[in-house]
Amino acid sequence: MAKRTIMAAGNWKMNKTPTEAVEFINGLKDIVTGCNSEVVTAVPFVCIPGAVEAAKGSNIKIAAQNVHWEASGAYTGEVSCEMLKDLGVDYVIIGHSERREYFGETNEMINKKARAILDAGMIPIICCGETLTQREQGVTAEHVRYQIKVALLGLSAQEVSELVIAYEPIWAIGTGKTATDEQAEEVCAIIRQLIAELYDNDVAEKTRILYGGSVNAGNAKALFSMPNIDGGLVGGASLKIDAFEKIVKHDQ
Ligand code: PEP
């Protein structure tokens, strides 16, 4: 079985102007040339054209942080998959806990988005994760399994083997409180086991499962070395070139 390529994906959230985005990508691209990880930056919609242009010829891939599932129409303020694909976007983050919490996104919506992203020839990064209360009440596994089960409804084995899942415990996002390597590994292994149940072992071995939640230059190496963790979705630490570089080059 071929080894899964580690992914270091930065999620900028609502940070950086288009000008700052271009400066950042220009600064990052030479530094990460030839590294072993796949490097992705998820930038705000308005930063995408400049970021794609700046990343041309480098090994940095550009992601969006959200998308609408409909192809076009009366959806004021929304952006379609075709629009993102046309700009040169490779990945789209869906189901981030901030979108679930502040914008009312449901598992069913995330499933529709995953379908539309794959149909457009891009790759979804599907986020899941429990609240602190859910963890304390011992329902983390059930909750995450349900989120992923619905998100993957109707997707083929081939599609699931190519997409990316990010396990992000909500209590660890932006709090500086990282899950322990063992806590993160445990849930990533549960997700891989679920994929094996829904599809088969071969698919489960190919799907990349990231950990997200206060990943930084100091903890990336240990987290990414766990058997079922294939890299990280990184918020705060992806906004500074030196910190993100250390995460990308965690193995050097
Ligand atoms: C995130 O935005 O997905 C995230 C994990 O943020 P942070 O790394 O800042 O916790």
Side-chain angles (χ1 to χ4, degrees):
M1 188 71 64
K3 214 182 153 338
R4 297 179 294 269
T5 305
I6 296 284
M7 174 184 281
N11 173 18
W12 287 1
K13 313 192 187 197
M14 196 171 72
N15 290 295
K16 296 196 189 292
T17 63
T19 306
E20 289 166 344
V22 170
E23 281 168 13
F24 185 99
I25 303 286
N26 279 334
L28 183 70
K29 64 183 176 188
D30 292 336
I31 296 174
V32 298
T33 301
C35 67
N36 300 322
S37 311
E38 183 174 7
V39 185
V40 177
T41 45
V43 305
F45 285 137
V46 293
C47 297
I48 292 174
V52 169
E53 189 57 35
K56 267 197 186 127
S58 78
N59 58 339
I60 302 172
K61 293 190 178 137
I62 303 302
Q65 300 173 13
N66 182 32
V67 74
H68 197 278
W69 59 87
E70 291 291 347
S72 62
Y75 302 99
T76 302
E78 293 292 330
V79 164
S80 75
C81 288
E82 191 187 358
M83 295 170 191
L84 296 181
K85 179 70 183 170
D86 185 70
L87 285 177
V89 166
D90 290 303
Y91 290 96
V92 186
I93 297 175
I94 51 174
H96 192 282
S97 63
E98 289 151 15
R99 297 230 40 102
R100 293 178 189 260
E101 186 181 346
Y102 307 138
F103 303 97
E105 293 201 4
T106 63
N107 293 322
E108 289 73 16
M109 289 158 79
I110 291 151
N111 175 243
K112 286 189 206 174
K113 291 180 188 213
R115 176 73 273 146
I117 293 163
L118 289 161
D119 286 345
M122 299 180 291
I123 299 180
I125 300 175
I126 303 174
C127 302
C128 61
E130 81 287 1
T131 62
L132 187 57
T133 307
Q134 286 167 329
R135 174 159 284 269
E136 286 171 352
Q137 295 191 340
V139 297
T140 297
E142 275 166 80
H143 178 72
V144 168
R145 279 174 60 93
Y146 184 73
Q147 287 182 312
I148 294 301
K149 221 168 176 174
V150 177
L152 300 185
L153 279 175
L155 305 190
S156 70
Q158 180 65 31
E159 287 167 339
V160 173
S161 68
E162 287 167 8
L163 58 69
V164 180
I165 293 173
Y167 165 57
E168 300 204 298
I170 295 169
W171 48 271
I173 297 179
T175 57
K177 200 175 163 199
T178 319
T180 64
D181 303 340
E182 291 72 25
Q183 283 172 325
E185 166 64 16
E186 184 187 19
V187 182
C188 291
I190 287 168
I191 296 168
R192 202 174 300 288
Q193 174 58 33
L194 172 67
I195 296 170
E197 284 168 32
L198 297 173
Y199 296 89
D200 58 36
N201 276 328
D202 185 49
V203 176
E205 284 305 315
K206 286 181 180 149
T207 309
R208 280 185 293 176
I209 304 175
L210 314 181
Y211 165 76
S214 301
V215 173
N216 59 43
N219 59 27
K221 184 174 181 175
L223 283 161
F224 300 178
S225 304
M226 300 305 278
N228 284 290
I229 301 179
D230 306 315
L233 184 55
V234 186
S238 73
L239 292 169
K240 294 217 164 68
I241 291 185
D242 53 348
F244 193 51
E245 179 194 358
K246 290 196 183 96
I247 294 168
V248 169
K249 297 183 179 169
H250 62 278
D251 55 344
Q252 290 174 27

